[in-house]
Amino acid sequence: MEWILNFYTPSSLYCIFTRMNTSLVLAQFWGGLMSIVWILLIIRQERLLKPLLKLSHERLYTVLAGFMTLILGLVNIIIHNIWVNDWRVSITLIWWIALAKWVSLLGFPYLLSKKVSTLEKFPRMTQLILILCVFIGIYLFAQGLWLSLPESH
C-alpha cells in the first residue's frame, strides 16, 4: 500500500493530468480538422480532390508536403507519444503512421505517384478511404469533446 502512495505524488498527478489535457486538445483539434477537411474533399471532389491528386505528381509538392508533414509528425509525437490501452493511443498511432509514410515518400517519391494513380483508377476506393478518415476524425473529436466536459452530479 505504501508504494501506491509514493507513486501518486503531486508531481506525478500533475504529469497525468497535463498529458490528459494534451490528449483532449489534440483530439479536438486534429479530429475537428480531419472531419472538416475530409468532408469537404468528399463533397467537392471535382474542385478540391482532383487538383490535389494532380498536384501530387509534382516532385516539388511531394518534397514540400513531406517536410511539412515530417515536422508536424515529429512535433505531435514529441508532445503526445502516449502508448496506453485507451482512445489516446489512436492519436499516437495516426502520427507514427503519417511520419513513417512521409519519411518513405521523401526517400522514394515515386511511390506517391503510384499510390495516386491507383486512387485515380478506383474512385470508389478513394471515397471509402475518405469516409473512413471522416469517421476517424469524428471519433477523435468526440473523444476530446465529451471527455473534456465536466461531469454533472
Side-chain angles (χ1 to χ4, degrees):
M1 184 64 136
E2 187 176 321
W3 68 272
I4 293 175
L5 295 174
N6 288 338
F7 179 74
Y8 286 108
T9 62
S11 62
S12 66
L13 285 176
Y14 175 77
C15 182
I16 290 169
F17 291 127
T18 303
R19 282 195 159 200
M20 188 60 166
N21 288 339
T22 303
S23 298
L24 294 175
V25 169
L26 287 175
Q28 290 171 3
F29 176 75
W30 289 117
L33 184 69
M34 285 174 65
S35 301
I36 292 167
V37 168
W38 298 120
I39 288 172
L40 284 174
L41 286 175
I42 290 171
I43 294 172
R44 305 286 295 187
Q45 285 189 14
E46 290 297 320
R47 298 276 274 159
L48 297 173
L49 185 62
K50 296 211 183 223
L52 278 176
L53 292 176
K54 285 187 184 355
L55 190 61
S56 63
H57 290 293
E58 299 293 326
R59 190 174 189 102
L60 179 63
Y61 167 79
T62 305
V63 171
L64 289 176
F67 277 117
M68 286 177 22
T69 307
L70 179 68
I71 291 167
L72 270 176
L74 283 175
V75 168
N76 275 281
I77 287 171
I78 290 168
I79 291 172
H80 193 276
N81 194 19
I82 300 175
W83 295 94
V84 291
N85 195 18
D86 63 14
W87 67 272
R88 294 177 293 164
V89 76
S90 59
I91 299 169
T92 305
L93 281 173
I94 287 169
W95 283 105
W96 273 108
I97 291 168
L99 184 69
K101 179 182 124 184
W102 283 103
V103 165
S104 69
L105 290 176
L106 281 174
F108 309 101
Y110 60 88
L111 291 176
L112 180 62
S113 60
K114 281 185 177 181
K115 287 181 182 182
V116 169
S117 297
T118 304
L119 291 176
E120 288 173 338
K121 288 178 189 172
F122 302 104
R124 293 282 182 205
M125 184 173 73
T126 305
Q127 287 180 335
L128 183 66
I129 292 170
L130 290 173
I131 290 169
L132 178 66
C133 290
V134 168
F135 282 122
I136 291 170
I138 290 171
Y139 170 76
L140 282 178
F141 186 71
Q143 288 291 356
L145 187 63
W146 287 324
L147 291 175
S148 66
L149 294 175
E151 292 182 27
S152 59
H153 298 292

